[in-house]
Amino acid sequence: DQQVKQNSPSLSVQEGRISILNCDYTNSMFDYFLWYKKYPAEGPTFLISISSIKDKNEDGRFTVFLNKSAKHLSLHIVPSQPGDSAVYFCAASSFYGGSQGNLIFGKGTKLSVKP
Amino acid sequence: NAGVTQTPKFRVLKTGQSMTLLCAQDMNHEYMYWYRQDPGMGLRLIHYSVGEGTTAKGEVPDGYNVSRLKKQNFLLGLESAAPSQTSVYFCASSYSDRDRNWRELFFGEGSRLTVL
């Protein structure tokens, strides 16, 4: 059973508009959530993270929102740029007290930003 | 600063052959990981290491062995390759902060393995 779910395999957005990528999780023990971005033929690169003690974390054009009661998080990209076109992975783990980075990944959402 | 480097980048094996994937990191990170990614799937953890000389099983360890003889290197071995091990393999490393909690993973570029 999937513990981290990204139900939208793909998303297409116009340049300059907002991109919203969603992620749901089932394990209430998760307390740390990350978003990774992946271009073809490259490794995933870290984008932004949020711990369960927060409900929002912002870094430039990227904002992650966490709704613990709904076990849902979302990544907002504003404004979207063609260079943001990539596969975005949501990942979750227990940060404190150490599962030492055993991230559980979703299947990814492919974002296409049209010029 | 090369970060995380994986070799080889591509390899084709026949069923039953053995091989080793090498991961090297130059960031002095304590933790290292091997993940695999299959089409339509997220990344799944194979094995990981929390320090030199230590290894542990992840989510999908069967058919693989690992070794961490040096802090900067993490080797993934396939003793008898099977077609089900056709995948893209990613190595990653991370460090712990002053409270001994790990920080985000840094990934290599991946190694594409095909088993015929």
Side-chain angles (χ1 to χ4, degrees):
Chain A
D1 187 29
Q2 274 188 277
Q3 298 186 69
V4 177
K5 300 178 185 180
Q6 294 178 257
N7 292 320
S8 298
S10 63
L11 175 68
S12 184
V13 171
Q14 204 67 31
E15 181 180 5
R17 298 290 189 98
I18 183 171
S19 295
I20 300 176
L21 295 93
N22 294 304
C23 178
D24 298 294
Y25 63 96
T26 58
N27 190 339
S28 57
M29 298 301 291
F30 289 148
D31 56 14
Y32 192 57
F33 305 90
L34 306 90
W35 285 94
Y36 277 83
K37 176 179 177 180
K38 186 180 180 304
Y39 293 117
E42 294 185 9
T45 54
F46 171 73
L47 195 56
I48 193 169
S49 63
I50 188 167
S51 74
S52 58
I53 61 173
K54 295 185 176 182
D55 55 19
K56 177 183 174 181
N57 190 26
E58 193 171 352
D59 184 2
R61 297 186 296 114
F62 302 93
T63 303
V64 56
F65 295 92
L66 176 62
N67 182 333
K68 290 185 289 293
S69 60
K71 293 191 177 68
H72 176 83
L73 63 155
S74 60
L75 174 68
H76 293 210
I77 306 174
V78 183
S80 301
Q81 299 173 353
D84 296 329
S85 297
V87 177
Y88 289 78
F89 290 99
C90 172
S93 186
S94 297
F95 180 77
Y96 299 103
S99 57
Q100 283 83 34
N102 291 3
L103 297 181
I104 305 298
F105 283 84
K107 293 185 177 182
T109 297
K110 184 176 182 180
L111 173 66
S112 299
V113 180
K114 308 292 186 185
Chain B
N1 189 344
V4 179
T5 304
Q6 296 180 225
T7 53
K9 298 282 192 294
F10 303 93
R11 183 73 187 269
V12 178
L13 287 178
K14 293 181 180 179
T15 297
Q17 287 185 315
S18 63
M19 75 156 296
T20 300
L21 294 174
L22 170 64
C23 176
Q25 53 96 2
D26 60 3
M27 298 174 282
N28 200 35
H29 285 175
E30 298 167 40
Y31 306 135
M32 296 188 75
Y33 315 84
W34 277 106
Y35 283 85
R36 61 179 286 175
Q37 185 191 16
D38 301 297
M41 302 285 288
L43 284 79
R44 292 181 294 168
L45 183 65
I46 305 171
H47 286 279
Y48 65 100
S49 168
V50 300
E52 182 179 327
T54 72
T55 63
K57 294 180 180 180
E59 182 185 358
V60 288
D62 294 341
Y64 305 95
N65 56 75
V66 288
S67 64
R68 183 102 180 265
L69 299 180
K70 294 182 179 181
K71 185 177 184 178
Q72 64 268 33
N73 294 338
F74 195 30
L75 278 65
L76 178 70
L78 285 72
E79 291 185 346
S80 179
S84 60
Q85 294 178 303
T86 294
S87 188
V88 180
Y89 292 84
F90 290 98
C91 177
S93 69
S94 66
Y95 63 97
S96 58
D97 61 19
R98 63 182 179 180
D99 295 320
R100 301 292 296 169
N101 295 303
W102 64 271
R103 303 301 306 181
E104 63 272 10
L105 275 61
F106 295 81
F107 283 86
E109 294 185 344
S111 298
R112 183 174 293 275
L113 175 65
T114 301
V115 183
L116 302 175

